[in-house]
Amino acid sequence: MDLGMVLILAGLALWWGAHLFKRVAPEKRATMGDGGKGLVTLLLLAGLVLMVLGYRWTEWVSVYVPLPGMGHLNNTLMLVSVFLFGVGGTKGLLYPKMRHPMLWGTVIWSLAHLLVNGDRASIVLFGGIGLWALVTMVIINRSAPWAPPTNGRGIKGDAMNLVGTLALYGAIAYVHIWLGHSPFVGTYP
């Protein structure tokens, strides 16, 4: 196993562990107080850095060849994903109707990336984060029933979210292009 894959797996372990700590050991997390938030944030950032470096440094091993035209589906799914990330913050029409919009956005993000990346590192990284989101939803759903929120902004929230989605999508596309992986030209290597 190359160093890049080791870093991806270590980053995923930190990501899963830091996120699930509160769900799996709520008493232990509560005893840490506000200082625990800083530790969790640090672990998440470390995990993110390890995953990014690992992904960039890993040996490219093809597992499958993405189907032609998947770049278009990826771009569309990414717009949906980014929009779902903003549902909780902008409190539009979906806010009281959908449980876990950010986690569903993560699952869609993961699937979108698996449609255009058929290499081993992508399967481990994007599949690992998508699986984390699904497991997290199951854990949350088993621990507490959902009471739909009632304080949404309606269409105004959706309009705010749409503007934010387009701006963030543009920034994400710019970073991908800067890194040499344009989401608008061809497919990823």
Side-chain angles (χ1 to χ4, degrees), residues 9 13 21 30 50-51 78-80 97 105 118-119 124 128 151 156 186:
L9 292 171
F21 179 54
L50 289 173
M51 287 186 281
M78 284 304 301
L79 275 170
V80 172
K97 295 176 176 51
D119 61 292
V124 171
N151 60 340
K156 178 181 177 185

Side-chain angles (χ1 to χ4, degrees), residues 96-161:
K97 295 176 176 51
M98 182 178 199
R99 190 171 190 185
H100 316 301
M102 190 175 283
L103 291 170
W104 280 115
T106 302
V107 170
I108 292 169
W109 169 87
S110 171
L111 176 63
H113 282 77
L114 290 172
L115 289 174
V116 294
N117 294 285
D119 61 292
R120 182 182 63 189
S122 294
I123 293 168
V124 171
L125 176 62
F126 302 121
I129 292 176
L131 184 60
W132 159 79
L134 291 170
V135 167
T136 300
M137 284 188 273
V138 168
I139 290 171
I140 292 170
N141 289 346
R142 287 188 175 173
S143 67
W146 185 49
T150 57
N151 60 340
R153 292 186 184 107
I155 196 74
K156 178 181 177 185
D158 288 327
M160 291 167 46
N161 192 9

Side-chain angles (χ1 to χ4, degrees), residues 28-182:
K28 177 72 174 163
R29 173 60 187 92
T31 63
M32 297 172 74
D34 285 341
K37 291 179 184 177
L39 176 61
V40 168
T41 301
L42 183 63
L43 292 174
L44 289 172
L45 288 174
L48 188 60
V49 168
L50 289 173
M51 287 186 281
V52 169
L53 292 176
Y55 189 72
R56 291 191 56 87
W57 294 348
T58 194
E59 176 185 335
W60 196 85
V61 177
S62 179
V63 176
Y64 62 88
V65 176
L67 296 172
M70 287 296 105
H72 301 297
L73 182 56
N74 168 280
N75 292 339
T76 303
L77 289 173
M78 284 304 301
L79 275 170
V80 172
S81 172
V82 174
F83 185 84
L84 289 175
F85 271 89
V87 165
T90 58
K91 299 179 172 88
L93 295 173
L94 277 179
Y95 179 63
K97 295 176 176 51
M98 182 178 199
R99 190 171 190 185
H100 316 301
M102 190 175 283
L103 291 170
W104 280 115
T106 302
V107 170
I108 292 169
W109 169 87
S110 171
L111 176 63
H113 282 77
L114 290 172
L115 289 174
V116 294
N117 294 285
D119 61 292
R120 182 182 63 189
S122 294
I123 293 168
V124 171
L125 176 62
F126 302 121
I129 292 176
L131 184 60
W132 159 79
L134 291 170
V135 167
T136 300
M137 284 188 273
V138 168
I139 290 171
I140 292 170
N141 289 346
R142 287 188 175 173
S143 67
W146 185 49
T150 57
N151 60 340
R153 292 186 184 107
I155 196 74
K156 178 181 177 185
D158 288 327
M160 291 167 46
N161 192 9
L162 183 59
V163 170
T165 294
L166 294 174
L168 184 56
Y169 185 84
I172 291 169
Y174 176 79
V175 169
H176 279 72
I177 292 167
W178 179 70
L179 292 171
H181 301 286
S182 175

